[in-house]
Amino acid sequence: MQVTVPRVVTVLLCALLQLCFGTVYAWSFFQTLLIQQEGWSFTQTAAAFSITIFTLGIAAAWAGAMLPRFGPRRLALAGSLLFSVGYLLAGLALHLDLLLLFYIGYGVIGGAGIGLGYVTPVATTAKWFPERKGLATGVVIMGFGVGALLLSKILAPLLMLGTDGDLPLIFAWLGIVFACILVPSSLLLSNPPADSGVALASAEAEEAAQPGSVADCLRSREFVIMWLVFFFNITAGISVISFQSPLLQDVWGLADPSLDPETLARYGATLIAASSLCNGAGRLLWGLLSDRIGRVGTFRILLASQMIVFGILMTERDPWIFSALICYVLLCFGGGFATMPSFIVDVFGTKKMSVIYGAVLTAWAAAGIFGPLYVGLLKDLYPDRALIYCFLIGVLILGLGYVFSFLLTDERIRLGQPTLESTLRQYGIPPLQSSGADAASHGGAGRLG
């Protein structure tokens, strides 16, 4: 027998799941430690993060398609177990000094867990709050953005202190802690009961969706352009996320060469925490702004303003200004994730949202490969000029996204042949009722065209 909890509790559980999964954005906290203790290069550490984000995006696409079949409880539980096991395997890999096992554990298995877990809370919350989808999903997605704060300022420092900085033990303990939080939360997750007012309102919204198959939507010009714009915004942000702690430590090192490595690491952790708050806040603030000015207008502001910020970051060497600008980049990074789900609903309808949103998250996977790896490669090849090159490439990436955004509109597209019923529902008119005899006498006259 499944237990159904109140919808307010459900949204809190969804936010808690996202908070734990979002700790992946604190990766740069471990980056310098892995380089120092394990002897890894910047490219090798970037590869671990890239594999995680790539697997996350692919798993999220699959989860979006499978959510109607398996339900939120099963997918969330599977994601929670994989995420926790991934950390345990990463700890074992560090103990045995096996880089490939680390890639498999933290990257493939852990990333798949995040992907399964990421889509589930968002889609489930939208069903529980059909009248306030933007606000409810914004709160849940905000939890993912704030996850880096949980790890960089609470869990990791406590474990660093308790284990004397033993990385294998730290990763193993993180797996245990996350399992204790995520598994019970997943078991309480569910869709609203079929006979409830919430479920009926959600079903009514789905019935009003535009005609056309999911395959038609995924082949449409609108989906391709949305995917590209999303990819460019994510690539710019994730390249910063993957290296924000080492980048800030470089800037602080130039500003004050007397600082010791421990102090620099502490400054880097503080930036991760502060930027994660901006990442979370951006998911709520930009989502609310998109309700007022439209999704396309929001994306144009996100991309254009970041082009200016990246241009300044190329030469900015004041650590405080540098940190503030990084926080703004993360604010915009979160804003893209907040705006896209509502954008998909506006363009393609509610019924297809989970599948199409899962498919568009493959842009996250692609950006996860490209963004961190090019920064890691530049750090290894041009350590003295990496900052300039990284942000210059970022300006070019954001410029491409801005150009493509002019090929988008906020309007609902129509795929396939519309029915009379779908047209009436679109304008809030109840469908016509007819008897069986009337239906037989009119043959197939119920379709337009």
Side-chain angles (χ1 to χ4, degrees):
M1 179 179 177
Q2 294 186 347
V3 178
T4 301
V5 298
R7 67 176 186 165
V8 174
V9 176
T10 298
V11 76
L12 292 176
L13 290 172
C14 289
L16 182 59
L17 289 171
Q18 294 285 57
L19 182 68
C20 292
F21 292 132
T23 55
V24 67
Y25 283 155
W27 168 251
S28 64
F29 178 92
F30 297 113
Q31 198 156 42
T32 303
L33 295 172
L34 290 168
I35 291 170
Q36 292 173 349
Q37 296 187 24
E38 303 295 325
W40 295 1
S41 68
F42 282 105
T43 304
Q44 287 173 322
T45 58
F49 185 68
S50 289
I51 292 170
T52 305
I53 300 300
F54 176 79
T55 311
L56 183 168
I58 299 301
W62 182 85
M66 293 297 105
L67 184 59
R69 176 180 176 182
F70 293 111
R73 188 166 297 172
R74 290 181 180 178
L75 283 182
L77 181 60
S80 299
L81 291 173
L82 289 174
F83 182 65
S84 304
V85 170
Y87 265 104
L88 292 173
L89 286 176
L92 178 63
L94 293 175
H95 177 71
L96 299 176
D97 194 20
L98 295 174
L99 180 61
L100 180 59
L101 180 59
F102 189 90
Y103 287 164
I104 295 172
Y106 184 85
V108 177
I109 296 176
I114 301 172
L116 297 182
Y118 181 83
V119 173
T120 304
V122 178
T124 302
T125 301
K127 290 183 178 180
W128 277 99
F129 290 86
E131 78 285 4
R132 292 181 184 148
K133 287 191 294 287
L135 177 61
T137 56
V139 170
V140 171
I141 296 175
M142 183 173 65
F144 195 90
V146 179
L149 171 64
L150 172 66
L151 184 57
S152 65
K153 278 299 184 181
I154 300 176
L155 292 179
L158 287 175
L159 292 173
M160 287 282 291
L161 184 64
T163 63
D164 293 326
D166 189 330
L167 281 180
L169 277 178
I170 290 173
F171 274 81
W173 272 111
L174 285 172
I176 295 171
V177 170
F178 286 136
C180 293
I181 298 173
L182 291 170
V183 171
S185 300
S186 300
L187 292 173
L188 293 175
L189 216 57
S190 67
N191 286 322
D195 57 348
S196 68
V198 172
L200 293 175
S202 180
E204 183 179 344
E206 291 186 358
E207 288 178 4
Q210 296 294 314
S213 68
V214 170
D216 291 333
C217 294
L218 297 181
R219 287 193 296 264
S220 67
R221 168 184 169 275
E222 286 77 7
F223 174 81
V224 173
I225 303 301
M226 288 168 72
W227 191 98
L228 287 171
V229 171
F230 198 43
F231 167 79
F232 290 127
N233 189 66
I234 294 173
T235 299
I238 205 128
S239 65
V240 171
I241 288 174
S242 63
F243 280 89
Q244 58 180 319
S245 179
L247 290 176
L248 180 65
Q249 291 182 49
D250 288 345
V251 173
W252 268 111
L254 293 172
D256 188 355
S258 65
L259 293 174
D260 57 85
E262 291 75 15
T263 302
L264 291 175
R266 191 163 59 250
Y267 287 169
T270 300
L271 176 60
I272 294 172
S275 65
S276 75
L277 289 175
C278 293
N279 187 358
R283 295 166 188 253
L284 186 60
L285 296 177
W286 288 105
L288 293 175
L289 180 63
S290 72
D291 287 338
R292 290 181 173 273
I293 68 172
R295 321 302 178 190
V296 175
T298 300
F299 267 110
R300 287 176 187 165
I301 295 174
L302 290 172
L303 295 162
S305 61
Q306 284 183 94
M307 288 174 64
I308 298 172
V309 169
F310 270 62
I312 298 172
L313 283 169
M314 288 174 59
T315 57
E316 182 56 59
R317 294 299 177 264
D318 183 293
W320 297 103
I321 298 177
F322 185 89
S323 299
L325 294 175
I326 292 294
C327 286
Y328 180 78
V329 172
L330 269 292
L331 192 80
C332 295
F333 177 81
F337 280 95
T339 306
M340 186 53 70
S342 300
F343 197 6
I344 290 172
V345 171
D346 291 346
V347 175
F348 297 106
T350 306
K351 187 175 183 179
K352 307 178 187 71
M353 186 270 183
S354 65
V355 179
I356 296 175
Y357 184 52
V360 87
L361 287 179
T362 57
W364 195 5
I369 290 292
F370 181 68
L373 282 181
Y374 87 73
V375 179
L377 188 61
L378 290 173
K379 287 280 288 179
D380 284 331
L381 296 178
Y382 310 103
D384 297 331
R385 290 168 288 169
L387 275 174
I388 295 175
Y389 293 159
C390 291
F391 292 118
L392 175 59
I393 293 174
V395 171
L396 298 176
I397 290 170
L398 290 163
L400 286 172
Y402 184 72
V403 170
F404 275 105
S405 71
F406 284 91
L407 300 176
L408 290 174
T409 68
D410 291 314
E411 298 177 0
R412 176 74 60 89
I413 67 170
R414 186 178 293 278
L415 300 168
Q417 190 177 27
T419 65
L420 175 61
E421 287 78 6
S422 67
T423 303
L424 292 174
R425 287 195 182 98
Q426 181 182 0
Y427 294 99
I429 304 173
L432 299 175
Q433 301 294 327
S434 60
S435 64
D438 291 336
S441 65
H442 283 82
R447 300 188 69 85
L448 295 176

